[in-house]
């Protein structure tokens, strides 16, 4: 078990939980759907990271970049600063984790 797998696991659980926090998602269903879909996929993908599967890091990298990009799509985030912050922090931390995983 590596710290990278644990990081992705914990942050994917946070994405799923944060989808139901009104202060973060607001009234935007785009936030809810995006947090849930990305969170569930990253949760499923995080388990092979414990076994040392390097191909999985590419999937995490793609979803990390998507989180960072979707932070700036107003149709998804709406006007919620909490959603923007959540997208950026989770996206950047998982991006760093996936880059280090590829070493």
């Amino acid at each position: 078990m590596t710290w990278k797998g644990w990081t992705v696991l914990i942050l994917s659980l946070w994405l799923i939980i944060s989808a139901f926090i009104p202060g973060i998602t607001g009234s935007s269903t785009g936030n809810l759907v995006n947090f849930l879909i990305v969170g569930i996929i990253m949760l499923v993908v995080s388990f092979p990271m414990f076994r040392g599967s390097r191909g999985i890091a590419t999937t995490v990298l793609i979803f990390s970049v998507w989180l960072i990009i979707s932070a700036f799509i107003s149709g998804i985030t709406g006007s919620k600063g909490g959603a923007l912050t959540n997208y950026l922090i989770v996206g950047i931390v998982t991006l760093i984790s996936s880059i280090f995983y590829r070493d």
Side-chain angles (χ1 to χ4, degrees), residues 51-99:
R51 292 182 301 204
S53 176
R54 291 183 186 264
I56 298 301
T58 305
T59 306
V60 173
L61 179 86
I62 290 168
F63 282 105
S64 300
V65 171
W66 167 248
L67 285 172
I68 294 168
I69 291 171
S70 65
F72 299 104
I73 300 174
S74 62
I76 295 175
T77 58
S79 61
K80 295 300 292 181
L84 175 76
T85 305
N86 198 30
Y87 281 122
L88 288 177
I89 291 174
V90 173
I92 290 170
V93 172
T94 54
L95 179 71
I96 291 169
S97 176
S98 68
I99 288 172

Side-chain angles (χ1 to χ4, degrees), residues 18-82:
S18 67
F20 299 103
I21 300 174
I24 294 176
T25 57
S27 61
S28 173
T29 55
N31 284 330
L32 174 74
V33 171
N34 200 23
F35 285 153
L36 281 177
I37 290 173
V38 173
I40 290 170
I41 291 172
M42 285 179 62
L43 179 68
V44 170
V45 166
S46 70
F47 289 110
M49 289 182 83
F50 290 121
R51 292 182 301 204
S53 176
R54 291 183 186 264
I56 298 301
T58 305
T59 306
V60 173
L61 179 86
I62 290 168
F63 282 105
S64 300
V65 171
W66 167 248
L67 285 172
I68 294 168
I69 291 171
S70 65
F72 299 104
I73 300 174
S74 62
I76 295 175
T77 58
S79 61
K80 295 300 292 181

